[in-house]
Amino acid sequence: MSVSIKSEREIELMRQSGRILARVHDELGKAIRPGISTWEVDALGEELIRSYGCVPNFLHYNGYPASICVSVNDEVVHGIPKKTRILKEGDIVSLDAGLIYKGYHSDAARTYGVGRISQEAQQLIDVTKQSFFEGIRMARQGMHLHDISAAIDNYVTPFHYGIVRDLVGHGIGTSLHEDPQIPNFTQKRKGVLLQAGMTLAVEPMINAGGWEVNFLDDGWTVVTKDGSLSAHYENTILVTDGEPEILTILE
Ligand code: MF3
Ligand code: CO
């Protein structure tokens, strides 16, 4: 396994890629309301990405048929947008989006409530988001990759949620998926030593029930095995010798 260290020039391109993706997410978030189809969310996302002169990196990735992954309720990730899937009040929806700017990839996900949602659903969304921030406090030069994973696990576990194990975060740069893999759960090994200049996509996927998932016959959609709700939160970050820089959030 080799983890790429980005040069100053590459870091600047990653920053620009991330900044554009942050804008795309902000716009997509505003569009979420009861009555919109997941297909319309995807169409808007693709249009926004292209409006910045960027390319959606998910489109045709291993044959994925859309630009945005739109995953509703018990769908964990990789939900395929459909004209017939209409968001309704009380749903939760995860939007996972990514783009390429001058050869450099960014990747980020948010989970939103549609209209008014239950307290249970809101807590799942909030805990999933906070687990990302707990994890990346460990993302600095001199720490090990596993410190991120363990911090996420330690934060989430007291809520008795299920941490998805079949899918993990990843390095990112000139490819969408680079080394290392970044589990969201505690493991025995320490993982790679983190160094300034690594760019990572940290992405906890958390279920209200058990951690087990099923892969649907459409070849993409991942759902919780027990039908419980699932939330996803992801940003592309830069490891430095101090606080990590979150590239896909606007200051
Ligand atoms: N965002 C996903 C990830 O973090 C990638 C989705 S690839 C797609 O790995 F093809 F499903 F879009
Ligand atoms: Co990702």
Side-chain angles (χ1 to χ4, degrees):
M1 179 172 65
S2 83
V3 182
S4 67
I5 305 296
K6 273 72 180 179
S7 67
E8 245 337 294
R9 179 190 140 270
E10 291 183 292
I11 288 169
E12 197 42 51
L13 292 168
M14 290 294 293
R15 282 194 185 108
Q16 289 176 26
S17 181
R19 222 174 274 145
I20 294 168
L21 183 56
R23 290 201 192 106
V24 169
H25 260 300
D26 284 354
E27 290 300 315
L28 280 179
K30 289 184 207 153
I32 296 302
R33 52 175 170 74
I36 193 170
S37 72
T38 59
W39 188 89
E40 289 172 288
V41 174
D42 175 60
L44 175 62
E46 177 169 3
E47 186 185 314
L48 286 164
I49 289 168
R50 295 199 190 279
S51 76
Y52 289 105
C54 298
V55 175
N57 46 5
F58 298 178
L59 185 63
H60 308 317
Y61 180 87
N62 290 337
Y64 185 73
S67 299
I68 314 292
C69 298
V70 188
S71 308
V72 185
N73 294 337
D74 65 328
E75 295 172 352
V76 179
V77 288
H78 303 166
I80 300 176
K82 286 189 189 65
K83 285 187 177 170
T84 52
R85 187 81 199 248
I86 312 291
L87 298 181
K88 60 177 196 309
E89 178 109 16
D91 284 342
I92 68 170
V93 61
S94 304
L95 308 184
D96 192 351
L99 58 81
I100 311 171
Y101 172 81
K102 296 189 179 169
Y104 285 81
H105 291 248
S106 50
D107 185 6
R110 312 273 181 257
T111 301
Y112 297 105
V114 182
R116 278 184 63 86
I117 61 171
S118 69
Q119 261 183 36
E120 291 77 18
Q122 189 61 54
Q123 181 184 278
L124 176 69
I125 292 172
D126 294 344
V127 169
T128 302
K129 179 174 180 177
Q130 187 58 32
S131 74
F132 163 85
F133 288 96
E134 298 295 328
I136 68 155
R137 286 169 54 193
M138 306 299 155
R140 59 167 73 205
Q141 175 153 288
M143 304 293 281
H144 288 84
L145 186 81
H146 180 259
D147 295 314
I148 301 175
S149 306
I152 293 171
D153 193 332
N154 291 338
Y155 177 73
V156 170
T157 294
F159 292 93
H160 303 292
Y161 289 150
I163 301 174
V164 174
R165 304 180 74 85
D166 299 66
L167 299 137
V168 296
H170 49 93
I172 182 168
T174 52
S175 305
L176 173 57
H177 294 133
E178 296 185 354
D179 288 336
Q181 294 197 15
I182 311 175
N184 296 302
F185 48 88
T186 303
Q187 289 184 298
K188 290 216 177 67
R189 49 199 195 80
K190 287 201 292 188
V192 293
L193 184 64
L194 298 177
Q195 288 179 54
M198 290 180 174
T199 46
L200 308 174
V202 177
E203 51 178 319
M205 289 154 269
I206 309 295
N207 302 340
W211 61 268
E212 297 90 344
V213 297
N214 283 331
F215 295 80
L216 297 189
D217 286 342
D218 64 14
W220 284 101
T221 314
V222 182
V223 298
T224 60
K225 204 160 216 166
D226 58 12
S228 64
L229 296 177
S230 186
H232 184 198
Y233 186 83
E234 174 182 28
N235 285 299
T236 300
I237 68 163
L238 168 70
V239 177
T240 74
D241 55 8
E243 300 265 303
E245 217 177 290
I246 305 175
L247 304 183
T248 46
I249 292 182
L250 298 171
E251 303 86 56

